[in-house]
Amino acid sequence: MLPSLLLATLLLLPTIARSEEPPPAPPEAPPAEPVRVAAGERSEQLGRALAQRFPRQALELQAGEETFVGLQLPSNLGQSRGVIVLLPGDGESADWPRVIGPLRRQLPDAGWQTLSLTLPDAAPAPPAAEPAAPAPDAGTAPEADAAPADGAPSEAGYLPEKTAPPLDDAQPPQAPAAEPKAEPVNQAQRIEARLEAALTQARSSGAATVVLVGHGTGAYWAARYLQNSGAKDVGGLVLIEPRRPAEQDKPLADLLSELALPTADFIYGQTGNRSPQARERLDASQRARHPNYRQIILQRLPADAAAEQEQLYRRVRAWLDKQTTP
């Protein structure tokens, strides 16, 4: 009898031991995802980066309700000839390595102060509308979707009026309210506000003259601002490879023909092989008898970017020397 009891006790020991073990710890909750803050515009990020890179040149300007960063350099000569306000094209910054950056650093050697801007991002294109689903053919509707004839029982054996949900006459069903759409950002107004802030800064420096220099779409925005504002103290306009923004309807040729101030239109190509847009601007200026419009053709130097930039600087400087006096 004793050996049997001993044997039973030994068999129960693992069960007792397992019952005394602490319960397993609950699985750890997955770590919470970090809160992602929406990034600002690319132009704002570029502006902040430039302010950190050039802290002594960075200038914070106020345009309406927003601030932006410009880069300012003084004249390297004893007497300043005026202020050059530079406008880069879409996607470019106030120190873009092509055209804008080199000009803002080279023109102070010719006696000019430079103020280079970063323009706000281009307005995003509206999303494409989704194609509507084709309406089903009346004669080929699936049998499963066809409603039973009036008074005929359905497959479940109930009449249609017994299976339909009751209607609430007091509160008819309403379609869900559409979410209000955000107002589109008016890029043109933001750019004009930035240009106005830049000109206010230039006027406060006591500059003898102010010249706007635009590259790509920046050239279009400079001409558009002058055409709308009628600023009388801007002494010249320099366009470098001008291009009309996609969301703007008015051709650049129409803007230039309405401006009477000295205008230099720099393009790349050959004298007898202008682009259709360049030919349109030249013809429009001749029809309007523009008093001081000149189209200047530059040569592409793809094998030597530094020489190409030096060519542009020398031609811009020569035009400025003819239009202004020290």
Side-chain angles (χ1 to χ4, degrees), residues 122-147:
E130 297 182 0
D137 194 351
T140 60
E143 294 183 359
D145 296 336

Side-chain angles (χ1 to χ4, degrees), residues 41-55 58-60 67-71 92-95 116-119 121 194:
E41 289 185 341
R42 180 175 180 272
S43 59
E44 294 179 0
Q45 298 172 3
L46 291 174
R48 289 194 294 268
L50 291 175
Q52 295 178 356
R53 183 180 177 187
F54 305 106
L59 182 67
E60 189 174 88
T67 59
F68 68 100
V69 175
L71 295 180
E92 299 178 350
S93 70
D95 193 51
S116 186
L117 312 181
T118 295
L119 301 185
D121 295 356
R194 293 194 181 194

Side-chain angles (χ1 to χ4, degrees), residues 3 43 58 108 110 209 259 291:
S43 59
T209 186
L259 297 176

Side-chain angles (χ1 to χ4, degrees), residues 211-298:
V211 177
L212 299 187
V213 177
H215 176 234
T217 55
Y220 182 94
W221 292 120
R224 185 184 186 275
Y225 170 81
L226 292 174
Q227 196 269 338
N228 290 339
S229 66
K232 302 299 183 182
D233 56 348
V234 175
L237 173 64
V238 176
L239 315 173
I240 304 173
E241 299 179 285
R243 183 166 57 87
R244 178 174 61 88
E247 67 276 8
Q248 293 297 312
D249 298 327
K250 191 168 187 177
L252 180 58
D254 293 350
L255 295 176
L256 296 178
S257 63
E258 299 170 1
L259 297 176
L261 78 166
T263 303
D265 186 352
F266 289 90
I267 62 175
Y268 286 89
Q270 298 177 355
T271 303
N273 191 23
R274 289 180 171 88
S275 68
Q277 294 80 13
R279 170 56 64 181
E280 182 184 11
R281 296 194 299 271
L282 182 60
D283 293 344
S285 69
Q286 293 174 349
R287 287 193 301 269
R289 297 183 179 181
H290 195 291
N292 198 344
Y293 170 88
R294 186 183 177 192
Q295 198 166 90
I296 304 168
I297 301 178
L298 303 176

